[in-house]
Amino acid sequence: MDKYFSVAIDGPSGAGKSTIAKMCAEKLGFLYVDTGAIYRTVGLAAKRAGIASKDAEGVSALLPGLDITMCHDESGLQRMVLCGDDVTEEIRMPEVSIYASDVSAMPHVRAFLLEMQRGLAQTHNVIMDGRDIGTVVLPDAELKIFLTAQPEERAKRRYDELLIKGVKTTYEEVLKDIQYRDKNDSSRSSAPLKPAENAVMIDTTGNSLEESFRLICGIIEERMAK
Ligand code: DC
């Protein structure tokens, strides 16, 4: 079997993981996998079914009938399809973020999505971002990066992104959402957000996107050359 190169990028919400991972994947010709989008799709499915975000039994009953697929368009953008419906934009809504964080704390949801994520790394060179990629999904990844930044700066970045998309919200609301998810994602017992032992730690507070991109792409290229 061919051996593919995997890069795991983990870290809290708004640290810049997806933007930077996408840019690096494009430059290096890797497949970019946004695993948060998969959890968001499960969260949206629960929301659409009228199940409360913390109702583990309700979500569990929903999983067997759940048809989630993922594809990449010509520009490399990952699109999420739920039961035939393209939900790529809808899963970015703030209320879906809370659902995603709550359902992602459920062990059966994590187990349900594990093989889908691993399968991609067995068939492609990947840059995969999430919360548990280096610790659980791809423990043998060639490179693991833990990306973070101060919560206030992450909230400001996320707020600016949402404004551009025309989503009505306030900075305070976005900061509250980030703080809620930081706590939820790192305190859960199933695959909590934490750096893998051998992760390269990067704090992007005060960095421009371009600076973080060059730094991380350089680290990946250096590791690939070894
Ligand atoms: O990366 P994101 O903000 O789009 O992720 C949405 C939620 O999904 C996040 O609050 C935590 C969860 N998640 C997870 O538990 N494990 C992953 N590998 C990716 C995301």
Side-chain angles (χ1 to χ4, degrees):
M1 197 172 75
D2 285 332
K3 177 77 183 94
Y4 292 93
F5 195 97
S6 304
V7 180
I9 304 188
D10 290 302
S13 314
K17 300 184 300 291
S18 5
T19 312
I20 294 167
K22 209 181 299 166
M23 290 164 80
C24 293
E26 200 174 349
K27 174 152 191 243
L28 303 169
F30 277 36
L31 181 74
Y32 164 58
V33 183
D34 170 3
T35 63
I38 315 177
Y39 285 94
R40 284 172 179 272
T41 306
V42 176
L44 177 64
K47 184 170 177 287
R48 280 187 176 179
I51 297 167
S53 66
K54 292 194 185 232
D55 177 357
E57 270 182 34
V59 174
S60 179
L62 189 72
L63 293 179
L66 215 52
D67 173 20
I68 294 183
T69 48
M70 174 179 171
C71 57
H72 289 78
D73 65 18
E74 309 89 65
S75 62
L77 182 74
Q78 176 179 315
R79 304 212 66 93
M80 296 305 304
V81 179
L82 171 63
C83 302
D85 187 12
D86 189 324
V87 295
T88 313
E89 272 80 42
E90 195 177 347
I91 56 170
R92 297 291 147 200
M93 293 298 121
E95 59 275 24
V96 180
S97 303
I98 303 290
Y99 256 89
S101 183
D102 286 345
V103 301
S104 72
M106 300 170 188
H108 47 276
V109 169
R110 308 203 69 83
F112 178 76
L113 299 178
L114 193 57
E115 285 319 307
M116 180 178 182
Q117 299 170 78
R118 283 191 178 152
L120 289 163
Q122 280 158 7
T123 47
H124 301 83
N125 290 323
V126 291
I127 300 185
M128 195 176 281
D129 85 51
R131 303 294 188 287
D132 62 336
I133 309 305
T135 50
V136 177
V137 179
L138 304 176
D140 298 326
E142 277 72 17
L143 174 64
K144 299 175 186 179
I145 293 175
F146 195 86
L147 202 62
T148 189
Q150 292 301 317
E152 292 74 16
E153 180 154 337
R154 291 188 277 123
K156 173 77 176 62
R157 292 177 191 166
R158 196 34 73 85
Y159 174 63
D160 289 344
E161 272 172 26
L162 291 168
L163 272 193
I164 291 170
K165 286 185 185 156
V167 177
K168 275 214 176 81
T169 184
T170 61
Y171 166 79
E172 287 70 28
E173 249 181 276
V174 178
L175 179 62
K176 218 168 95 196
D177 164 73
I178 289 226
Q179 287 165 335
Y180 173 84
R181 292 204 287 144
D182 278 0
K183 187 159 175 276
N184 226 16
D185 297 345
S186 17
S187 63
R188 67 184 179 216
S189 52
S190 183
L193 167 67
K194 62 170 188 200
E197 265 173 33
N198 51 351
V200 178
M201 304 292 292
I202 299 175
D203 186 332
T204 65
T205 308
N207 282 10
S208 71
L209 181 61
E210 190 57 32
E211 282 168 335
S212 301
F213 162 62
R214 269 192 269 118
L215 172 69
I216 292 169
C217 214
I219 295 173
I220 300 175
E221 285 174 320
E222 199 178 292
R223 189 64 62 93
M224 285 172 75
K226 273 192 184 162

